[in-house]
Amino acid sequence: MKAAVVSDVHSNLEALNVVIKDIKKRRIKKILCLGDLVGYGANPNECVDLCLKESDHIVAGNHDWAALGKTDINTFNPVAAEAILWTQKQLTDGSIKRLSTLPLTESVGDIFLVHASPKEPEMWHYLFRLEEFKKHFQYFEKEVCFIGHSHMPGAAFQDANGYTDFIRDNPFPLIDGRRYIINVGSVGQPRDLDPRACYAIYDGNARSIEFIRLDYNIPRAQQKVLDAGLPEALADRLLVGR
Ligand code: ZN
């Protein structure tokens, strides 16, 4: 199986359109989506529509749950909470219905999909440090677990002896006997100081993973955020990628 894995679209239609176009140009037939379709950006309904239309499997993110009232926004920073309240007002009944159907986890072939972490997906844990990645390998059985949530693309492997390390290469090979937790980064709000939209390609036949970065019309996405009356900080961060 070959699949594109996307995450953290966050209502950024400009970025999502560019990513989907790139996936189609590469003739990749399968799209797996790790949630956070909404929150932060100006096109929640359009992004829900497009993700549901193009993806083969989607799991829910914390912003999707917050938009549905299933996660307490008191756990969100004020700017994120304001964007959720705005999003709740925008979402159509159709979008709400579709977001409500998304599961927290999904297994596809040798792959496990979850928005935040294999352990306690509904707790929305962040994985940043190697020690944090290490703790989560025992909570899924597949060879590869794809995550999003931190908006920081990256990968860690664990071998049969429990040795765990980050992988810095791009692309990199999947090696027999190793298991992987791979953060595919964010389509709509990258935070690794690279403002370009990010997604990953899983190639189960060639046994490889590749991170893709794409330029998109950032000024247009920023203008939409401002025109919507969303916090200015949400427009600013798109340009710096954090
Ligand atoms: Zn997110």
Side-chain angles (χ1 to χ4, degrees), residues 12-65:
N12 186 337
L13 186 61
E14 277 63 40
L16 180 61
N17 274 330
V18 166
V19 164
I20 287 180
K21 203 172 154 196
D22 188 72
I23 293 167
K24 294 201 165 168
K25 199 178 81 192
R26 293 171 191 268
R27 300 185 191 285
I28 297 170
K29 299 278 188 290
K30 236 182 178 53
I31 300 182
L32 313 174
C33 176
L34 303 177
D36 274 8
L37 313 187
V38 302
Y40 297 130
N43 289 107
N45 291 307
E46 293 82 352
C47 289
V48 170
D49 285 351
L50 195 52
C51 286
L52 268 289
K53 178 173 160 251
E54 299 292 346
S55 306
D56 298 89
H57 298 273
I58 311 184
V59 294
N62 55 320
H63 287 251
D64 304 319
W65 268 34

Side-chain angles (χ1 to χ4, degrees), residues 7-10 35-36 38 40 62-63 115 126 148-151 186 189 191:
S7 189
D8 295 273
V9 173
H10 286 297
D36 274 8
V38 302
Y40 297 130
N62 55 320
H63 287 251
H115 178 69
Y126 284 95
H149 194 43
S150 71
H151 300 202
S186 170
Q189 195 199 74
R191 292 181 192 159

